[in-house]
Amino acid sequence: MLRRLETLVDPFAPFDETEMPPTSVGNFSWHYLKPIRFWLVFLFVVSIGVGLLETSLYLLIGWFVDLLSHTSPDRLLAENSWRLAGAGALILIGRPIFQTLHEIVSNQIIVPQSTTMIRWRTHLYTLGHALSYFQADFAGRLANRITQAGPSIREIAVTLLDTLTYVGIFAIAALGLFGSISLWLALPMAVWIAGYVLLLRYFVPRAQVRSLANAEARSVTVGRIVDSYTNILTVKLFARSREERSAVHDSLAWWMSTFLDTLRLITGVTAMLSVMNSLLLFATAALSLMLWSRGAMSAGEAAAGLALVMRILAMSGWVMQTIRGVYENVGVIQESMSTIARPHGLVDRAGARELTVPRGEVRFDAVAFHYGKRSGIIDRLDLTIRAGERVGLVGPSGAGKSTISSLLLRLHDVEGGRILIDGQDIAGVTQDSLRSAIGVVTQDTSLLHRSIRENIAYGRVDAGEAQIEAAAQLAHADAFIAELEDHKGRRGLDAHAGERGVKLSGGQRQRIAIARVILKNAPILVLDEATSALDSEVEAAIQDAFDVLMAGKTVLAIAHRLSTIAQLDRLIVLDRGRIVEEGSHSELIARGGLYARLWKRQSGGFIGGPVTTVQSEAAE
């Protein structure tokens, strides 16, 4: 039965993945809680029932004490059997039913599903951000904010609807009971409630500020630690362990100081609350004794009243901590919201169509791109790559070669002009269909921490085993794959590559990437320094694979090592984002221009100084 109840909320139900979340804490939280609003209301109603039942038990204590005081044993059952049976049914049947229902709604329907749903939806929205969004932040901090948002939003909802409702019923019941006996008896309780509210008004804003600082310190610390682990090879190669320890030490010290600020506040407020609680208990007991001695209050009423007060006092510290927890979660939500609730930098246009590539012609029409600056990088680029033509981009560092491939993949939007594939403006087609039509091998190859099989089949998940093995063979990766074994004993295609493929050499990662693109078999191919991590012997060995890979495809190849692209149909020489030369290798050599000078420096067996004044490498 419980398993069936757990399916009432589907955390992975379809939703609008492009809708930007609101930027206020309340609206941001409601944005993710709205799908389960019915169950939140149901939990609220059940919580009221539980609170009323629990409060009635204390009133029953008073009634029971008076009953025993004023009834002789031989007449007790005869005169009160139905009342006692009703009280017993309330305790034996009503209380367990409501408490069990409360736990079922909370634990089986709301808590795990809502947490998973919020994490899933925030993750999908975050995935939709542009590449620059991820390049500007720590991966660990982003992941931390995604995973923390779900529990924080859920805890606020459940606490406000459940815990505070439960406590409020106790306070109202105590005031009602005391007020029905004597306004003097109700006075200490009323004063205590007013003092408690004032204490909360002092405590809550200060706790919110400290909680936000603590959440930020935690996120920064996690980001620093993950950054050190992710780049552990660089840390060790540059002998920077001491500096990394120092950076994490400072972050942890900051995190601890924000935590201590919070604890100092809690200690002071707890001390004030302890004094208030003691005064309430003393005043209630003294007034109860006085009223009982005057016959204005029965012993049972005094017992019930004192029991309610004791219960409220026991809950007061818990409520204070609960409210502090609420505002800690508010701090976490504020931090997550500042990261998640941002507009997507690159979105599909309304009504964007799927890209179709019957031929594969690529045309850059007066394309301009300056990374948001006034000028530089690419300025009115006109370039047509005919269907099936193999074109190489050549030029000094910073000439804009990699930027051109990024624009073709729409990792950035052009700032002027347009890019067409078979006459279709890529700004008007869906990003997924665009990138599905382009196979890419980049200079910086990173693999997923999954099996080699999954990495090769990443661009074609329906590929069979034979196709995966054939792609690996064409990329000359089959020999080293057969010898791979990870720390769990998985071998060959089942072995895992490690985070970003760190268990493989640069050349091995590159060959896996080449196998992946061979298997994808897209009509347009971008090779961005595709053989940069290969030694000359391996590069020569897989040249046949490149011939197979490029056959019948439109190819845009970028290389600093000119020997790798000299045999292409046409070479485009760039400088400062402009085409300065174009032609075949032999034509450009004969012309004696920039390409000829670059070729001479490389073929001469040395690396010379800069050929011309160029922009910084960062422009790439």
Side-chain angles (χ1 to χ4, degrees), residues 174-427:
L175 270 180
L177 173 63
F178 295 155
S180 67
I181 297 170
S182 168
L183 293 179
W184 285 106
L185 187 60
L187 183 60
M189 190 73 222
V191 171
W192 182 89
I193 291 175
Y196 192 75
V197 170
L198 290 174
L199 193 61
L200 286 177
R201 289 190 64 181
Y202 170 83
F203 171 73
V204 164
R206 290 164 176 79
Q208 181 178 0
V209 172
R210 287 164 172 77
S211 296
L212 181 58
N214 185 257
E216 174 65 20
R218 179 189 63 242
S219 184
V220 169
T221 303
V222 171
R224 285 186 181 275
I225 292 172
V226 172
D227 193 42
S228 295
Y229 294 164
T230 302
N231 297 285
I232 190 64
L233 179 60
T234 303
V235 172
K236 292 186 178 296
L237 289 178
F238 285 85
R240 300 285 289 184
S241 296
R242 179 176 299 175
E243 287 77 9
E244 289 300 315
R245 285 199 298 269
S246 176
V248 173
H249 172 277
D250 292 344
S251 287
L252 284 171
W254 174 37
W255 190 2
M256 183 178 70
S257 71
T258 62
F259 190 39
L260 288 172
D261 282 346
T262 303
L263 292 179
R264 280 192 290 271
L265 177 66
I266 292 170
T267 300
V269 170
T270 302
M272 294 175 64
L273 182 61
S274 178
V275 173
M276 289 171 52
N277 287 348
S278 298
L279 289 173
L280 174 62
L281 183 60
F282 178 82
T284 302
L287 286 170
S288 295
L289 181 62
M290 183 185 71
L291 292 170
W292 175 81
S293 65
R294 295 179 179 180
M297 186 178 191
S298 69
E301 289 172 333
L306 286 172
L308 273 173
V309 167
M310 291 294 292
R311 178 60 174 159
I312 290 170
L313 297 186
M315 290 191 300
S316 63
W318 168 53
V319 171
M320 189 72 72
Q321 296 299 325
T322 298
I323 293 177
R324 180 178 72 87
V326 166
Y327 279 91
E328 280 185 355
N329 288 321
V330 167
V332 173
I333 292 172
Q334 286 176 316
E335 187 186 42
S336 297
M337 185 177 65
S338 68
T339 297
I340 298 167
R342 298 181 188 177
H344 285 160
L346 281 169
V347 296
D348 292 340
R349 286 181 181 174
R353 304 184 309 275
E354 296 287 310
L355 176 69
T356 58
V357 189
R359 297 182 300 115
E361 180 186 79
V362 176
R363 183 157 66 94
F364 292 80
D365 182 14
V367 169
F369 183 75
H370 315 300
Y371 285 101
K373 301 177 183 178
R374 292 185 178 181
S375 61
I377 315 301
I378 305 294
D379 188 22
R380 293 194 61 83
L381 175 71
D382 289 301
L383 171 64
T384 298
I385 305 173
R386 297 181 294 274
E389 185 181 20
R390 302 178 303 169
V391 170
L393 291 183
V394 182
S397 295
K401 302 184 297 296
S402 292
T403 299
I404 289 172
S405 67
S406 295
L407 293 175
L408 176 60
L409 289 159
R410 206 184 165 210
L411 298 178
H412 308 283
D413 271 329
V414 297
E415 296 169 12
R418 56 182 184 161
I419 301 174
L420 306 171
I421 295 179
D422 284 340
Q424 303 158 85
D425 189 341
I426 65 169

